[in-house]
Amino acid sequence: QSVLTQPPSASGTPGQKVTISCSGSSSNIGINTVNWYQQLPGTAPKLLIYNNNQWPSGVSDRFSGSKSGTSASLAISGLQSEDEADYYCAAWDDSLNGWVFGGGTKLTVL
Amino acid sequence: EVQLVQSGAEVRKPGQSLRISCKAFGYRFTSSWITWVRQVPGRGLEWMGRIDPTDSYVNYSPSFRGHVTISADKSTSTAYLQWSILEASDNAIYYCARGIAVDGIRWFDPWGQGTLVTVSS
């Protein structure tokens, strides 16, 4: 049982916009920033969004992040087949004094 | 280029010990924490703990405290994850990641390529 809650799966067709949610609590998302990681099949996770809505160098602006209260969202616009991956949210938890992850969302491009 | 290069896949029997490594390139090793993350095949990411290479202070997840040891060697810019007694439940891929912190904002970047640990009798 992950501390942050994500839907296990999401899907869309090429060109569509998909949104993945991440729900936490007052000790993590409520007071700390959220990061998103993309894990392509058979590879290591890669930073996708940091500080709720910032792009690392080289990441497409088709990916966008937002945060409100104790929840965060990752939106992927103009869906492409290469976006098929697992997506994880993460935040520091002040009560646990450690990092917490969501359970991951498997994105399928139909 | 900033990168973390991990040691290769390992196969051990239950009860044996193991140490895997994560070598940092392209940045000052003592400027960032190194975090370790477990991924059981087909499952999600679990934070295990982190180390400050400056003074080797370690912060463990309660789920892993007492079962693994995280250490670092400043002279070789290498972090380690070790087990004294492996269990079958330790079968997983282990990732290291650089923990960056700027003005209270924290994230992991980059990640190592992962080390597959297989524990089987």
Side-chain angles (χ1 to χ4, degrees):
Chain A
Q1 192 82 354
S2 301
V3 174
L4 303 182
T5 301
Q6 297 180 236
S9 64
S11 63
T13 55
Q16 267 191 330
K17 179 178 179 178
V18 168
T19 300
I20 297 171
S21 62
C22 174
S23 177
S25 69
S26 58
S27 63
N28 42 65
I29 294 178
I31 54 174
N32 292 303
T33 59
V34 177
N35 306 318
W36 291 89
Y37 300 92
Q38 178 192 56
Q39 187 175 32
L40 297 169
T43 69
K46 179 189 108 171
L47 179 66
L48 193 64
I49 295 287
Y50 70 100
N51 190 20
N52 304 324
N53 56 19
Q54 303 298 300
W55 293 282
S57 173
V59 170
S60 168
D61 60 5
R62 294 189 300 105
F63 298 92
S64 61
S66 64
K67 185 184 106 166
S68 178
T70 58
S71 294
S73 293
L74 173 70
I76 309 171
S77 61
L79 208 56
Q80 299 178 3
S81 59
E82 57 258 40
D83 298 331
E84 277 207 345
D86 294 322
Y87 293 85
Y88 294 90
C89 58
W92 179 263
D93 190 298
D94 281 20
S95 294
L96 298 174
N97 194 33
W99 285 93
V100 290
F101 285 99
T105 298
K106 184 175 186 62
L107 175 65
T108 301
V109 180
L110 303 169
Chain B
E1 178 193 2
V2 175
Q3 58 176 334
L4 299 175
V5 178
Q6 298 185 230
S7 49
E10 301 277 3
V11 179
R12 292 286 188 278
K13 291 179 167 39
Q16 292 187 324
S17 62
L18 174 66
R19 187 177 78 166
I20 62 175
S21 66
C22 168
K23 187 170 174 64
F25 295 90
Y27 73 98
R28 185 165 53 89
F29 185 57
T30 53
S31 67
S32 308
W33 292 70
I34 293 288
T35 250
W36 287 95
V37 174
R38 183 175 79 172
Q39 186 170 40
V40 174
R43 305 286 294 275
L45 304 174
E46 300 173 89
W47 182 73
M48 303 177 71
R50 60 176 186 162
I51 186 166
D52 181 348
T54 302
D55 57 8
S56 288
Y57 173 78
V58 181
N59 174 205
Y60 289 101
S61 162
S63 300
F64 294 92
R65 186 180 294 119
H67 185 55
V68 299
T69 300
I70 295 172
S71 60
D73 183 344
K74 285 188 291 189
S75 68
T76 60
S77 298
T78 303
Y80 299 97
L81 178 66
Q82 68 181 68
W83 296 258
S84 298
I85 302 173
L86 282 163
E87 302 170 356
S89 58
D90 294 319
N91 273 291
I93 299 173
Y94 294 86
Y95 295 101
C96 62
R98 178 190 181 195
I100 299 174
V102 177
D103 296 333
I105 309 302
R106 292 172 275 207
W107 65 94
F108 302 144
D109 187 44
W111 293 61
Q113 83 275 22
T115 296
L116 175 63
V117 173
T118 301
V119 183
S120 174
S121 53

